[in-house]
Amino acid sequence: MVPDGFGRPVFAEPPPGIGWPPGARLCLGIAADPARQLLAVTRDLPVALSVHTVPHGPVGQLLLPFTELERRHVQDAPVGHRARRLAQLWTRKEASLRLTGPGGLAIADEIDALSEARDGKVVIPASLAHPGGIAYVRDLPAGPQTVACAATAAPAPEVRIWRPDCLDAPAGTRTTPPGTPRAG
């Protein structure tokens, strides 16, 4: 494995015997929270993850790094759903910022992870501390008290995730792009 330009781990060449073409890369994203750890794998597409426990109690003081539209989205939810909405928006922002490079947390309140995110697109404005860019996010299954999100540099047909406590699972959990019907 080698680090990419932002220090994320990437296999320099695919492991032998997997049938990928020469030059293909296996990209890895890792995120941890006290309640959950996740590992994501994509082919030829850098990936970043964010995972957080849903906060307990009032969320008013936690709204600072959000746009006005995002704040209204959280505050318009029933009281019992506000913390989850807030945490999900934060994981979208954090995964996007991790993907596009260091130094972005200072501009978190300028990043809208809600309005264009229907197709998964999050635009990161350039600043003195951050290069900016575009990330495509997808919410991940993480459990009732945990939220998670993966961000990729382009729309990804599939991202596979694993929890480290079950790495021996045969194929990980597949996620599909936003708007894709799920089998049922």
Side-chain angles (χ1 to χ4, degrees), residues 2-138:
V2 296
D4 70 4
F6 296 116
R8 294 179 298 252
V10 175
F11 277 102
E13 290 189 29
I18 65 167
W20 286 5
R25 297 182 311 159
L26 182 65
C27 300
L28 181 67
I30 302 168
D33 182 71
R36 180 91 28 148
Q37 296 175 354
L38 295 175
L39 174 74
V41 178
T42 59
R43 177 178 156 181
D44 289 329
L45 196 56
V47 61
L49 291 175
S50 176
V51 60
H52 288 282
T53 300
V54 175
H56 298 289
V59 297
Q61 70 273 22
L62 302 175
L63 291 172
L64 288 176
F66 294 94
T67 66
E68 188 59 38
L69 179 65
E70 292 168 330
R71 290 175 188 173
R72 279 195 313 271
H73 178 69
V74 170
Q75 291 169 333
D76 288 347
V79 173
H81 297 282
R82 290 179 184 168
R84 185 168 194 83
R85 274 194 188 177
L86 177 105
Q88 194 65 68
L89 286 171
W90 179 252
T91 61
R92 291 176 185 171
K93 285 178 185 261
E94 187 177 54
S96 299
L97 289 165
R98 285 181 176 181
L99 179 78
T100 56
L105 289 179
I107 60 168
D109 64 338
E110 299 173 31
I111 298 165
D112 183 355
L114 183 61
S115 65
E116 290 191 56
R118 294 189 200 288
D119 66 353
K121 183 178 178 182
V122 175
V123 177
I124 314 296
S127 72
L128 293 175
H130 193 273
I134 294 176
Y136 290 85
V137 298
R138 68 177 67 210

